[in-house]
Amino acid sequence: MSDGVRPEVLVFDVNETLTDMSPLAARFTDVGLPGRLLPEWFAGVLRDGIALTLAGGRADFATVARDALLIHLAQEKAGSGDHEAAAAYVLDALPELPVHPDVPDGVRALHAAGYRLVTLTNGSAETSRAVLRRAGLAECFETHLDVEGAGGRWKPAPAAYAYALRTAGVRADAAMLVAVHPWDIDGAARTGLRTAWLRRIPVPYPSARRPADLCADSVAELARQLGAG
């Protein structure tokens, strides 16, 4: 860190940051949707969940994700079966997603170096727990959080990050959010957390967002930057 003080707690986003969502494309194909719709669907889920928070509404990730799938199924006139069952089939795969290849070594290095690790997702804490248990990383994380504990306020609402800080029992400047999404980095920074952007895709960081304190192409590289590699 540029100030020479290392964070105590690393708060990891989950979807796309730790988990590789690309295998869901096969489930899209199974129910008659083009696999190429996966990024559009997930971006729409985030948009709609965040919009609900801004409007003062509330819905959990599973509900918003299901609604978005039903819209795509109707638009594509996919299959002749039960669209509700098709949406459930796709979403049932979320706990079975793999982590990105760099995640195990990077997470284990950070844990061994004494960093406290937690997850904070707009999705489900149970899904986060299942994914990381399957990856053999359960013992590295002290807890898994989702925004239901923040009154259903989706990140980047300040309440979501404040909930993680309360749970970890640390001040904002003692925590660092690790995420692949610039909007998540920006939200955490505005709440006072330090931030690390995982640049999994070689794209520029948006100039309208608050910049990340650190930038790394992988969790393993981030671990090295934090003196854990």
Side-chain angles (χ1 to χ4, degrees):
M1 297 296 300
S2 59
D3 59 9
V5 180
R6 83 179 212 168
E8 179 182 342
V9 177
L10 301 180
V11 181
F12 278 87
D13 174 55
V14 179
N15 290 324
E16 296 188 310
T17 297
L18 295 176
T19 59
D20 178 3
M21 300 187 72
S22 63
L24 281 182
R27 294 238 172 176
F28 272 53
T29 301
D30 289 345
V31 300
L33 291 173
R36 60 175 170 74
L37 281 180
L38 173 60
E40 179 181 336
W41 164 75
F42 185 61
V45 172
L46 293 174
R47 177 201 63 217
D48 292 348
I50 292 168
L52 271 171
T53 290
L54 288 171
R58 176 173 179 171
D60 62 21
F61 182 91
T63 300
V64 179
R66 165 192 163 276
D67 288 348
L69 281 169
L70 291 176
I71 290 171
H72 282 300
L73 286 161
Q75 289 175 335
E76 296 288 328
K77 298 180 174 58
S80 57
D82 183 348
H83 285 180
E84 290 278 359
Y89 171 76
V90 173
L91 295 178
D92 283 348
L94 288 173
E96 302 171 7
L97 290 174
V99 297
H100 289 286
D102 60 281
V103 169
D105 286 348
V107 163
R108 290 188 182 110
L110 289 165
H111 177 67
Y115 286 100
R116 297 171 56 198
L117 310 181
V118 304
T119 61
L120 175 64
T121 180
N122 283 334
S124 159
E126 286 304 314
T127 296
S128 301
R129 187 174 290 108
V131 165
L132 292 164
R133 184 186 301 119
R134 290 180 68 251
L137 299 172
E139 74 284 355
C140 295
F141 289 86
E142 64 180 58
T143 192
H144 300 287
L145 308 175
D146 60 41
V147 295
E148 285 303 297
R153 307 285 292 172
W154 287 43
K155 295 184 293 175
Y161 308 107
Y163 166 57
L165 295 173
R166 288 195 307 272
T167 303
V170 296
R171 292 161 40 111
D173 60 4
M176 171 178 280
L177 180 87
V178 183
V180 74
H181 306 113
W183 56 261
D184 204 355
I185 296 294
D186 181 78
R190 292 179 189 276
T191 312
L193 282 76
R194 305 184 197 195
T195 55
W197 181 43
L198 289 187
R199 195 174 71 121
R200 294 198 176 280
I201 300 173
V203 295
Y205 190 87
S207 61
R209 306 285 190 182
R210 290 198 178 185
D213 294 298
L214 296 177
C215 177
D217 293 335
S218 67
V219 179
E221 181 186 332
L222 176 64
R224 289 190 292 272
Q225 290 188 30
L226 290 172

